[in-house]
Amino acid sequence: PRLFFPLFTLLRALGRRKGAVAALRQHLENGQDPAWRSQPEAVTRLALSQHLLAALTDQSPPQAPPAYVESLFDRYAPHFESHLQGD
């Protein structure tokens, strides 16, 4: 499952929307593997992937998935204070 998310990122950066959507769908399909889903980052990565797929296919939900929002804040928290101070 890990291969298809970087492929999605690359294709999206190159402006290849159809290929990016296909890679993201494959990532989500492969993400159903119980061994992979038990890894800590799997739930967050799958929530992000579902949100991105919805956005790319013009089916955006009214809000981002809670797991994605939680992960976003967790990653940003260490830098919050320095951003407030303008560093």
Side-chain angles (χ1 to χ4, degrees):
R2 292 182 179 186
L3 170 68
F4 288 98
F5 194 83
L7 178 60
F8 152 74
T9 303
L10 175 64
L11 291 171
R12 186 177 69 166
L14 293 172
R16 296 179 56 191
R17 184 178 177 150
K18 285 185 181 181
V21 167
L24 203 51
R25 285 190 170 130
Q26 187 64 51
H27 172 72
L28 286 165
E29 183 178 318
N30 292 349
Q32 300 308 312
D33 176 19
W36 188 77
R37 290 183 72 97
S38 67
Q39 298 176 15
E41 77 276 3
V43 173
T44 301
R45 181 63 61 93
L46 290 173
L48 168 61
S49 299
Q50 290 167 338
H51 185 67
L52 291 171
L53 182 61
L56 285 171
T57 56
D58 299 323
Q59 299 173 6
S60 293
Q63 64 187 41
Y68 168 70
V69 174
E70 183 178 329
S71 171
L72 182 67
F73 278 99
D74 287 348
R75 288 191 317 255
Y76 179 66
H79 311 286
F80 179 73
E81 191 70 33
S82 65
H83 286 167
L84 282 179
Q85 296 173 358
D87 294 340

